[in-house]
Amino acid sequence: MHKHLATLLSLSLTLSAAAQDNVGTAPSLTIYNQNFFVARDHLTLDLKPGANHIDFAGVTAHLEPDSVILRDLTGRPLQILEQSYRADPISQEMLLSFYEGKTIDFQIQRGEKFETFPGKIIRSGYASGVTYINGYPQGVALQPIVQVNGVLQFGLPGQPLFPALSDDSILKPTLTWQLTTTQAGRSEAEISYVSGGMTWQSDYNLVVSDGVKNSSTNSLDLVGWITMQNHSGKTFENARIRLMAGDVSKLQGSVSRNAYRLEAKAADMAAAAPVVSEKSFDEFHLYTLERPATLHDNETKQVEFVRATGIQSQRLYIYDGAQVEQYGYYSPEQVRNDPGYGTASNPKVWVMQELKNSEANHLGIALPKDAFVFTAATPTAACNSSARTASTTRPRMK
């Protein structure tokens, strides 16, 4: 059967030898649509017998420390005596806090000349007690206070000049381990962890064409996009990416443990069918990007994942007589118990497109729920269908 469905998530069969070598060390991401993900990455461990101090600065700014798993890929026994996670990279505000009550130099430019003068840091303005909501920092910094020539002023009088960094200063979020092993040497290891700061969503554009005259049947062309947002504090180069659709909070136990369970099942399914871009298991759908992608920090990346033409749909007119806009924040029980419910009429008629998601109708792939945007191909179609509609009036899927 000829399929009109085309995907742009296929892995090229002509990979170079260098690219094949890179697959084994490339990071792997399983991204959930709930602002968290599971990351797997690689690092080299050069250990001596006994205790070893290891710093790894290749992690995110929203890592969950209790989810970290470190294992040696050669099977060498490792024992983690101690693990520390720091997500406070050095900044100007933090350095100012180290010198509160002390005098440092400041520099300003007057014309083509630079002038240096001393100033005492009364208050740095650094907010150390940062709280996190949904994986994002919510701290509020105060304005610094500096004393220059016996006079207090808010704000910095110039560019602060700091001495050398202290030995415990970090430039990126860092995991630190005290490791011990009975086998010295150099080998590759794998680290996996759960982190916040990354999510994904799907968006669909549909073009409605005229059907048979005086008929409610229309023909649709569909293009679906996957949009990934990375606010994790880390860039992932040439990552292998899987996207999980489903509500992990419905499961029993911790999010990190369940995320690992689902991620392991997803890895098994992807290994069994590497050319398949969508698989379903339990109450979840797995979408695999067969082509590696780079996700930069604070980047929004889009990938086209489905394209279909000639989808047959039926236009429906739906009228719900009760006006319910005023009940936006009510529960269904509260709406039913409202004495005024049903006394006001709704003047609107919904125009909907009903289509069957099947291979016979040029689809047959589970589509993540999200916003559908309709565009009329002709003026006649525009009269018969909503030109643009939000997710509240998306197509009815059979």
Side-chain angles (χ1 to χ4, degrees), residues 300-352:
T300 298
K301 182 179 290 291
Q302 290 184 301
V303 177
E304 183 182 309
F305 83 104
V306 62
R307 179 182 290 268
T309 59
I311 303 170
Q312 295 303 304
S313 69
Q314 184 177 10
R315 187 171 63 254
L316 302 176
Y317 297 94
I318 307 296
Y319 176 68
D320 187 349
Q323 190 173 18
V324 294
E325 285 83 356
Q326 67 271 29
Y327 299 111
Y329 297 98
Y330 282 49
S331 67
E333 184 177 357
Q334 289 174 315
V335 174
R336 288 194 298 269
N337 292 334
D338 185 357
Y341 175 68
T343 59
S345 297
N346 175 23
K348 298 179 181 178
V349 176
W350 288 3
V351 181
M352 304 184 70

Side-chain angles (χ1 to χ4, degrees), residues 11-28:
L11 179 65
S12 172
L13 299 178
T14 57
L15 293 174
S16 65
Q20 290 177 346
D21 293 339
N22 184 56
V23 169
T25 59
S28 173

Side-chain angles (χ1 to χ4, degrees), residues 95-162:
L95 283 176
L96 286 171
S97 70
F98 294 162
Y99 291 92
E100 283 187 350
K102 300 179 181 179
T103 299
I104 64 172
D105 287 334
F106 290 87
Q107 186 181 76
I108 60 173
Q109 184 176 5
R110 298 185 187 278
E112 298 181 356
K113 296 183 178 180
F114 290 91
E115 297 182 9
T116 301
F117 57 91
K120 184 177 181 180
I121 309 299
I122 305 300
R123 184 177 71 186
S124 67
Y126 176 67
S128 58
V130 178
T131 58
Y132 287 86
I133 299 177
N134 294 327
Y136 294 101
Q138 304 295 318
V140 178
L142 301 174
Q143 195 172 12
I145 301 176
V146 181
Q147 185 181 53
V148 179
N149 296 327
V151 178
L152 295 178
Q153 70 173 66
F154 285 89
L156 299 180
Q159 179 66 35
L161 304 177
F162 300 103

